[in-house]
């Protein structure tokens, strides 16, 4: 199958005689996925993709096609897999019904900058009547038109000659910085067709895609000067910093820099915990349902410099203006660093915009700090101010409720109970579903690396955390993986428990049970106050979620006190890892509590 190898490509196939035409486009596709380190594909099978399914069966020593329960869940699971591993998430579905079903998950991944490749397979014409094929062509064109508008890149492969350039373009766009989602439409007949002419096949991904790793030393020097000469500088880290700060050495470099100059650090909500929240310089997460500490620093008349890294300052990352003034804007320099130039100054004017890769900028800042003497008096004053804010003000809106042992369980106290589990704190992944559970988690969890926090804060679909946690656990089977969700979100994608059970995936779901879409009811009561109406307006029919979870293959528990929760949570984490079995904990919470949104 392979001819003489050069330094950067091999030739496929080995010859062009009839007996040598033995490589199909399906095989070439899987060779590219193998080159990218892909071992998992997620989706729902269809006879429309028979050639690719057959090839996956032939190569089941290399690839697992994880059969999910619905395509939206498949996309969420692939998204969770990427968020934990950093590897390409692949969704394999049929074009007709599968691709529309995956839409919400793909839209979510695109806006949350997750690297997903959707492979949409179209049925072969020879198996159907002319009218059916005409319908299929129209359906394919219409659906792909939708995907061209929601993905970074989407195209249909119409011939063997267009296969390689379209596929490699999809991979380039998906795995760029920032990463995105892409989609290719592949007719099943083409997938099963043999190469009719030789192609140059790359031997490494870097031979067809390049990852930028550049900085702007002169501008970083300017930014460094702004920060180190300011009275009260501040750094805000966005989720775009996650890949860089996942590197423990780089995180230590960043900590060394901010510690030397006593520059406090906070994160956007979706970047929560990429900087240790117990660190003496941490102001935790800012924005909606954020920590209380930042406001005391931002309100000071001396607040005079802000560096934003890896964030466009979009949805949930800021708070409404106070007295007509945006609290984040300092009286001095506002610096923004992002490799995506369209993110810079998107919402606020900046004094210095740096188009660069965040990791290299952090390296530059460390190098500059290493050879720069800090002004000890200024640093001491700043250190004292930060200490005073942290010691005299609670980071929490209602700290007494976080420490409460009351029953029904207060959501604030539930977050602390989850937070205090020793095994989770040693390293794991927490997926948060959309709804009130998001805001409880943002505000009342206190997390440090190596724990990672995953949330969909742009589109905010219910069910993301419920399904996404499965992909996270598949990607990192030896780490604790917990999903925190409301009962509404859990019911949207809870069918994927069956997927977890089938593949022995030990996810732990903590389900906040209030038999209500309470976030909507509480918000509507705020807009149109009628407490007697909105309190029960969006109830869910008192579903028995423990039986539901058990029926799909999970161990299930119901808890009504914190004492029960501590015991059950520890037991569920242990059983999830020991038995590789999903665990669902239904927690009956106090329905009167309102999260800090």
């Amino acid at each position: 199958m392979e001819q003489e190898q050069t330094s950067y490509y091999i030739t496929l196939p080995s010859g062009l005689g009839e007996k040598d035409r033995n490589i199909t486009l399906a095989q070439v596709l899987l060779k590219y996925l193998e080159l990218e380190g892909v071992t998992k594909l997620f989706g729902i099978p269809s006879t429309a993709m028979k050639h690719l399914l057959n090839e996956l069966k032939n190569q089941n020593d290399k690839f697992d096609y994880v059969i999910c329960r619905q395509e939206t869940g498949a996309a969420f699971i692939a998204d969770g897999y990427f968020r934990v591993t950093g590897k390409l998430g692949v969704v394999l579905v049929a074009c007709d019904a599968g691709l529309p079903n995956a839409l919400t998950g793909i839209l979510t991944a695109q806006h949350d900058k997750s690297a997903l490749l959707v492979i949409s397979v179209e049925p072969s014409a020879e198996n159907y009547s002319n009218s059916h094929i005409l319908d299929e062509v129209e359906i394919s064109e219409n659906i792909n038109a939708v995907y061209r508008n929601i993905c970074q890149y989407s195209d249909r492969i119409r011939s063997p000659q267009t296969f390689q350039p379209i596929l490699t373009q999809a991979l380039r766009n998906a795995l760029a910085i920032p990463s995105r989602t892409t989609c290719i439409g592949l007719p099943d007949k083409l997938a099963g067709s043999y190469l009719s002419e030789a192609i140059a096949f790359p031997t490494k991904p870097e031979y067809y895609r390049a990852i930028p790793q550049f900085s702007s030393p002169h501008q970083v020097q300017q930014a460094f000067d702004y920060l180190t000469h300011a009275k009260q500088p501040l750094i805000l880290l966005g989720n775009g910093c996650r890949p860089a700060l996942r590197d423990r050495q780089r995180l230590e470099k960043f900590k060394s820099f901010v510690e030397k100059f006593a520059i406090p650090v906070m994160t956007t909500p979706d970047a929560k915990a990429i900087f240790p929240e117990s660190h003496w310089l941490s102001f935790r997460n800012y924005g909606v349902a954020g920590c209380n500490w930042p406001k005391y620093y931002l309100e000071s008349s001396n607040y005079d410099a802000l560096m934003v890294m890896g964030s466009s300052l979009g949805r949930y990352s800021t708070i409404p203006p106070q007295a007509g003034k945006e609290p984040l804007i300092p009286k001095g320099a506002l610096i923004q660093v992002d490799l995506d130039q369209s993110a810079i100054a998107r919402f606020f004017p900046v004094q210095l915009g740096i188009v660069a890769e965040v990791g290299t900028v952090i390296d530059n800042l460390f190098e500059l700090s290493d050879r720069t003497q800090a002004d000890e008096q200024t640093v001491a004053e700043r250190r004292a101010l930060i200490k005073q804010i942290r010691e005299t003000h609670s980071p929490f809106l209602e700290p007494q409720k976080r420490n409460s042992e009351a029953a029904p369980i207060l959501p604030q106290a539930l977050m602390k109970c989850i937070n205090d589990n020793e095994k989770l704190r040693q390293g794991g992944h927490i997926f948060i579903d959309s709804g009130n559970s998001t805001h409880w988690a943002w505000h009342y969890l206190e997390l440090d690396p190596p724990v990672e926090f995953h949330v969909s804060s742009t589109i905010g679909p219910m069910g993301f955390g419920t399904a996404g946690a499965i992909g996270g656990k598949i990607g990192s089977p030896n780490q604790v993986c917990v999903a925190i969700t409301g009962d509404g979100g859990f019911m949207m994608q809870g069918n994927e428990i069956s997927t977890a059970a089938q593949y022995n995936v030990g996810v732990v779901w903590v389900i906040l049970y209030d038999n209500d879409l309470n976030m909507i009811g509480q918000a509507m009561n705020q807009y149109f106050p009628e407490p007697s109406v909105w309190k029960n307006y969006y109830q869910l029919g008192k579903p028995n979620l423990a039986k539901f979870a058990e029926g799909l293959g999970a161990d299930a528990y119901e808890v009504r006190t914190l004492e029960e929760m501590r015991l059950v949570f520890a037991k569920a984490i242990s059983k999830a890892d020991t038995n590789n079995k999903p665990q669902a904990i239904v927690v009956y919470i106090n329905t009167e509590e309102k999260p800090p949104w």
Side-chain angles (χ1 to χ4, degrees):
M1 288 176 63
E2 298 178 359
Q3 204 177 33
E4 180 183 353
Q5 184 172 332
T6 71
S7 59
Y8 57 93
Y9 74 91
I10 56 178
T11 301
L12 301 176
S14 59
L16 293 178
E18 287 297 325
K19 66 181 178 64
D20 294 315
R21 292 181 182 173
N22 57 353
I23 299 180
T24 65
L25 289 185
Q27 289 173 315
V28 178
L29 170 60
L30 294 185
K31 282 185 75 70
Y32 269 105
L33 296 184
E34 184 181 1
L35 200 61
E36 291 288 357
V38 172
T39 59
K40 310 288 184 185
L41 298 87
F42 306 91
I44 304 286
S46 165
T47 53
M49 57 177 81
K50 59 183 179 295
H51 288 102
L52 195 47
L53 291 179
N54 188 55
E55 195 54 47
L56 283 169
K57 179 263 297 180
N58 293 338
Q59 299 191 41
N60 61 12
D61 59 327
K62 296 179 181 178
F63 300 100
D64 293 321
Y65 184 25
V66 178
I67 308 305
C68 305
R69 299 302 173 258
Q70 200 257 4
E71 290 88 353
T72 304
F76 286 152
I77 291 170
D79 190 352
Y81 179 83
F82 165 76
R83 291 180 193 236
V84 166
T85 65
K87 294 180 180 179
L88 181 70
V90 179
V91 180
L92 174 58
V93 294
C95 178
D96 43 16
L99 199 55
N101 279 345
L103 189 67
T104 300
I106 300 307
L107 182 65
T108 298
Q110 167 68 11
H111 283 276
D112 284 346
K113 302 180 177 61
S114 294
L116 263 62
L117 171 66
V118 185
I119 303 170
S120 163
V121 186
E122 303 166 7
S124 300
E126 61 267 21
N127 295 336
Y128 301 99
S129 66
N130 290 339
S131 60
H132 186 282
I133 288 305
L134 185 59
D135 286 343
E136 284 291 346
V137 170
E138 291 176 349
I139 290 169
S140 298
E141 289 293 348
N142 290 339
I143 295 173
N144 277 281
V146 171
Y147 268 71
R148 281 193 293 274
N149 283 282
I150 70 163
C151 287
Q152 188 71 12
Y153 176 81
S154 180
D155 206 349
R156 294 179 67 208
I157 297 167
R158 292 173 173 81
S159 69
Q161 291 73 31
T162 61
F163 172 80
Q164 199 171 21
I166 288 175
L167 174 60
T168 53
Q169 188 61 50
L171 292 171
R172 274 191 291 275
N173 285 12
L175 292 161
I177 298 178
S179 51
R180 290 288 199 269
T181 65
T182 59
C183 178
I184 59 168
L186 176 63
D188 179 63
K189 185 174 181 179
L190 278 180
S193 65
Y194 292 101
L195 292 181
S196 59
E197 57 185 40
I199 63 169
F201 184 83
T203 54
K204 293 182 181 180
E206 51 262 42
Y207 295 153
Y208 59 87
R209 62 178 181 85
I211 299 296
Q213 294 180 324
F214 66 86
S215 182
S216 175
H218 172 69
Q219 288 183 305
V220 176
Q221 177 71 66
Q222 284 183 276
F224 180 82
D225 291 341
Y226 282 135
L227 291 173
T228 56
H229 289 94
K231 286 186 177 180
Q232 278 185 220
L234 180 63
I235 294 176
L236 174 61
L237 303 175
N239 201 39
C241 298
R242 185 181 297 274
L245 293 180
R246 227 176 211 157
D247 181 332
R248 295 280 83 91
Q249 289 186 329
R250 186 166 275 147
L251 177 59
E252 290 304 315
K253 285 182 179 180
F254 182 73
K255 285 164 61 177
S256 174
F257 159 59
V258 295
E259 286 167 356
K260 183 170 185 177
F261 296 95
I263 302 174
V265 178
M266 60 188 188
T267 73
T268 58
D270 57 351
K272 183 178 177 67
I274 64 172
F275 185 80
E277 295 192 317
S278 64
H279 192 281
W280 65 274
L281 283 170
S282 174
F283 282 164
R284 302 184 184 175
N285 52 296
Y286 179 75
V288 172
C291 175
N292 277 355
W293 286 332
K295 68 180 180 182
Y296 299 105
Y297 195 82
L298 297 175
E299 287 172 354
S300 168
S301 60
N302 289 326
Y303 167 53
D304 56 353
L306 172 67
M307 176 182 266
V308 179
M309 305 178 76
S311 172
S312 65
L313 298 178
R315 189 180 186 189
Y316 296 123
S317 298
T318 59
I319 61 176
Q322 309 294 310
K325 180 182 181 299
E326 169 54 55
L328 263 186
I329 298 180
K331 69 177 184 179
L334 199 165
I335 308 149
Q336 194 170 359
V337 181
D338 208 295
L339 191 56
D340 181 0
Q341 65 181 30
S342 69
I344 294 177
R346 187 178 177 188
F347 296 107
F348 305 122
V350 301
Q351 187 162 341
L352 177 62
I354 304 176
V355 180
E357 192 271 317
V358 167
T360 57
V361 171
I362 290 172
D363 292 342
N364 290 166
L365 290 171
F366 172 74
E367 291 161 5
L368 289 169
S369 69
D370 211 29
R371 58 175 185 259
T372 304
Q373 183 64 41
D375 182 328
E376 292 301 328
Q377 182 177 345
T378 302
V379 168
E381 290 173 357
R382 207 152 48 228
R383 188 181 291 114
L385 173 62
I386 295 164
K387 183 179 180 182
Q388 183 262 329
I389 290 173
R390 287 172 57 97
E391 290 184 352
T392 58
H393 302 281
S394 171
F396 307 115
L397 191 65
E398 297 178 296
Q400 74 283 1
K401 291 185 177 180
R402 191 172 185 264
N403 295 313
S404 172
E405 293 287 325
I409 296 172
L410 300 183
Q412 302 93 322
L414 177 62
M415 294 304 112
K416 184 177 186 296
C417 179
I418 294 169
N419 212 132
D420 290 346
N421 181 272
E422 187 58 36
K423 191 166 184 180
L424 178 59
R425 293 181 73 88
Q426 290 171 4
H429 298 271
I430 302 177
F431 280 78
I432 311 299
D433 220 315
S434 297
N436 276 349
S437 53
T438 308
H439 301 87
W440 292 126
W442 272 338
H443 191 75
Y444 285 102
L445 289 179
E446 176 200 314
L447 303 171
D448 291 346
V451 176
E452 293 193 10
F453 181 96
H454 308 281
V455 64
S456 174
S457 60
T458 308
I459 302 299
M462 293 172 69
F464 160 76
T466 299
I470 299 171
K473 185 67 172 178
I474 290 173
S476 186
N478 296 323
Q479 288 188 297
V480 175
C481 195
V482 175
I484 301 175
T485 179
D487 43 13
F490 182 70
M491 284 192 286
M492 283 203 175
Q493 292 296 328
N495 58 335
E496 298 296 349
I497 285 179
S498 175
T499 305
Q502 179 182 350
Y503 293 96
N504 302 312
V505 182
V507 174
V508 178
W509 286 273
V510 178
I511 304 146
L512 281 65
Y513 188 93
D514 55 12
N515 184 40
D516 201 351
L517 298 177
N518 209 10
M519 179 179 177
I520 307 304
Q522 289 172 341
M524 291 303 293
N525 187 56
Q526 194 165 325
Y527 296 133
F528 305 99
E530 289 184 74
S532 61
V533 172
W534 297 116
K535 180 172 174 55
N536 300 309
Y537 201 74
Y538 298 112
Q539 284 196 339
L540 301 175
K542 298 181 180 179
N544 190 324
L545 297 186
K547 285 187 177 179
F548 170 70
E550 283 180 342
L552 292 174
D555 290 332
Y557 316 84
E558 292 182 325
V559 300
R560 289 174 169 78
T561 69
L562 276 173
E563 184 178 0
E564 288 177 337
M565 179 60 193
R566 291 186 190 99
L567 294 173
V568 166
F569 190 49
K571 178 182 178 181
I573 287 177
S574 177
K575 289 183 69 176
D577 289 342
T578 302
N579 301 340
N580 298 317
K581 186 176 182 182
Q583 309 285 310
I585 307 172
V586 181
V587 184
Y588 288 80
I589 60 167
N590 186 312
T591 61
E592 302 298 323
E593 295 301 310
K594 296 179 182 178
W597 38 258

